[in-house]
PDB file of all heavy atoms in Angstrom:
ATOM      1  N   TRP B 713     -20.146  17.523 -20.313  1.00 76.00           N
ATOM      2  CA  TRP B 713     -19.305  17.482 -19.121  1.00 76.00           C
ATOM      3  C   TRP B 713     -18.609  18.831 -18.915  1.00 76.00           C
ATOM      4  O   TRP B 713     -17.920  19.290 -19.788  1.00 76.00           O
ATOM      5  CB  TRP B 713     -18.328  16.361 -19.240  1.00 76.00           C
ATOM      6  CG  TRP B 713     -17.440  16.206 -18.057  1.00 76.00           C
ATOM      7  CD1 TRP B 713     -17.834  16.017 -16.779  1.00 76.00           C
ATOM      8  CD2 TRP B 713     -16.011  16.195 -18.067  1.00 76.00           C
ATOM      9  NE1 TRP B 713     -16.738  15.912 -15.967  1.00 76.00           N
ATOM     10  CE2 TRP B 713     -15.645  15.996 -16.739  1.00 76.00           C
ATOM     11  CE3 TRP B 713     -15.068  16.286 -19.062  1.00 76.00           C
ATOM     12  CZ2 TRP B 713     -14.305  15.918 -16.341  1.00 76.00           C
ATOM     13  CZ3 TRP B 713     -13.722  16.192 -18.656  1.00 76.00           C
ATOM     14  CH2 TRP B 713     -13.355  16.040 -17.340  1.00 76.00           C
ATOM     15  N   GLY B 714     -18.833  19.448 -17.781  1.00 69.00           N
ATOM     16  CA  GLY B 714     -18.173  20.686 -17.470  1.00 69.00           C
ATOM     17  C   GLY B 714     -18.688  21.884 -18.251  1.00 69.00           C
ATOM     18  O   GLY B 714     -18.098  22.955 -18.297  1.00 69.00           O
ATOM     19  N   VAL B 715     -19.868  21.694 -18.854  1.00 74.00           N
ATOM     20  CA  VAL B 715     -20.437  22.797 -19.565  1.00 74.00           C
ATOM     21  C   VAL B 715     -21.591  23.405 -18.738  1.00 74.00           C
ATOM     22  O   VAL B 715     -22.315  22.688 -18.060  1.00 74.00           O
ATOM     23  CB  VAL B 715     -21.077  22.261 -20.930  1.00 74.00           C
ATOM     24  CG1 VAL B 715     -21.746  23.347 -21.734  1.00 74.00           C
ATOM     25  CG2 VAL B 715     -19.962  21.627 -21.753  1.00 74.00           C
ATOM     26  N   ASP B 716     -21.733  24.713 -18.784  1.00 72.00           N
ATOM     27  CA  ASP B 716     -22.776  25.312 -17.874  1.00 72.00           C
ATOM     28  C   ASP B 716     -24.218  25.035 -18.445  1.00 72.00           C
ATOM     29  O   ASP B 716     -24.358  24.580 -19.607  1.00 72.00           O
ATOM     30  CB  ASP B 716     -22.514  26.775 -17.579  1.00 72.00           C
ATOM     31  CG  ASP B 716     -22.488  27.587 -18.856  1.00 72.00           C
ATOM     32  OD1 ASP B 716     -23.315  27.297 -19.736  1.00 72.00           O
ATOM     33  OD2 ASP B 716     -21.616  28.504 -18.948  1.00 72.00           O
ATOM     34  N   ALA B 717     -25.152  25.325 -17.608  1.00 73.00           N
ATOM     35  CA  ALA B 717     -26.553  24.849 -17.878  1.00 73.00           C
ATOM     36  C   ALA B 717     -27.057  25.307 -19.262  1.00 73.00           C
ATOM     37  O   ALA B 717     -27.626  24.548 -19.995  1.00 73.00           O
ATOM     38  CB  ALA B 717     -27.446  25.321 -16.767  1.00 73.00           C
ATOM     39  N   ALA B 718     -26.837  26.614 -19.545  1.00 75.00           N
ATOM     40  CA  ALA B 718     -27.358  27.153 -20.796  1.00 75.00           C
ATOM     41  C   ALA B 718     -26.714  26.481 -22.026  1.00 75.00           C
ATOM     42  O   ALA B 718     -27.406  26.084 -22.914  1.00 75.00           O
ATOM     43  CB  ALA B 718     -27.164  28.652 -20.856  1.00 75.00           C
ATOM     44  N   ALA B 719     -25.413  26.328 -21.973  1.00 79.00           N
ATOM     45  CA  ALA B 719     -24.699  25.686 -23.091  1.00 79.00           C
ATOM     46  C   ALA B 719     -25.064  24.249 -23.187  1.00 79.00           C
ATOM     47  O   ALA B 719     -25.147  23.660 -24.283  1.00 79.00           O
ATOM     48  CB  ALA B 719     -23.209  25.888 -22.933  1.00 79.00           C
ATOM     49  N   ALA B 720     -25.229  23.578 -22.000  1.00 83.00           N
ATOM     50  CA  ALA B 720     -25.561  22.169 -22.043  1.00 83.00           C
ATOM     51  C   ALA B 720     -26.902  21.968 -22.709  1.00 83.00           C
ATOM     52  O   ALA B 720     -27.117  21.115 -23.549  1.00 83.00           O
ATOM     53  CB  ALA B 720     -25.606  21.628 -20.583  1.00 83.00           C
ATOM     54  N   ALA B 721     -27.872  22.925 -22.426  1.00 84.00           N
ATOM     55  CA  ALA B 721     -29.134  22.796 -23.033  1.00 84.00           C
ATOM     56  C   ALA B 721     -29.004  22.956 -24.579  1.00 84.00           C
ATOM     57  O   ALA B 721     -29.673  22.243 -25.347  1.00 84.00           O
ATOM     58  CB  ALA B 721     -30.100  23.878 -22.507  1.00 84.00           C
TER      59      ALA B 721
END
Side-chain angles (χ1 to χ4, degrees):
Chain B
W713 182 53
V715 178
D716 60 40

